[in-house]
Amino acid sequence: MNVPAPAGIATLVAYVATIPAANLAVTHFGAVPVGFGYAAPAGVYMVGLALVLRDLARESAGRGAVLAAIAAGTVLSYFLADPALAAASAAAFAVAETMDFVVYEPLRKRGLLIAMLASNAVGLLADSLLFLKLAFGSFEYLPGQILGKAWMTIGALAVLALLRRRRQATA
């Protein structure tokens, strides 16, 4: 078994850390504004970040490590969430992250940013639909969920593009 480099381990830890952060945010802050008059459960930003970190962890730590992190994240999500949110959080995390992974893998050869954009679009929609239905029995927050996660994806991709451009300029 190959052990990931320190950067890969750090990315995996950050990825898995978004799970309790999202669950704690929902439990302690409830709904938050995400823009354009929409609101979403407060964990929306951490979940959006998780989608990006999952893709970065894949690149730095490999497929096996990411699949193990998805499994660990699902269990962690279940045990760290408020009991009312535990099943919804775990199910949404497992399904959305796996769908993100399945979309990301074939696209990664076309470029990191393209793969991340497409896989995150699928992952954020799956997570939003499943979590809202299971946790609240309603899609009332769906526009806010999608918008909040999209903000995180767009922001992270912008940072990655700038870092890539800076690295190319200094090379």
Side-chain angles (χ1 to χ4, degrees), residues 80-169:
L80 292 180
D82 178 270
L85 299 175
S89 178
F93 181 83
V95 171
E97 293 298 321
T98 302
M99 289 178 73
D100 182 293
F101 184 80
V102 168
V103 171
Y104 181 82
E105 280 301 305
L107 291 177
R108 63 188 283 272
K109 293 179 181 119
R110 293 180 157 205
L112 181 65
L113 298 179
I114 291 169
M116 290 177 86
L117 186 60
S119 67
N120 288 4
V122 169
L124 73 84
L125 186 58
D127 183 81
S128 297
L129 290 168
L130 192 54
F131 178 75
L132 291 174
K133 183 64 174 173
L134 294 174
F136 304 111
S138 161
F139 294 118
E140 174 186 355
Y141 290 120
L142 185 60
Q145 283 277 93
I146 292 170
L147 184 60
K149 291 171 191 167
W151 287 134
M152 292 305 289
T153 295
I154 291 166
L157 291 177
V159 168
L160 290 172
L162 287 171
L163 290 173
R164 177 179 282 175
R165 186 175 297 165
R166 176 179 253 174
R167 192 175 330 142
Q168 289 172 346

Side-chain angles (χ1 to χ4, degrees), residues 1-6 8-9 12 60-62 65:
M1 178 175 141
N2 293 335
V3 176
I9 293 169
L12 285 167
S60 61

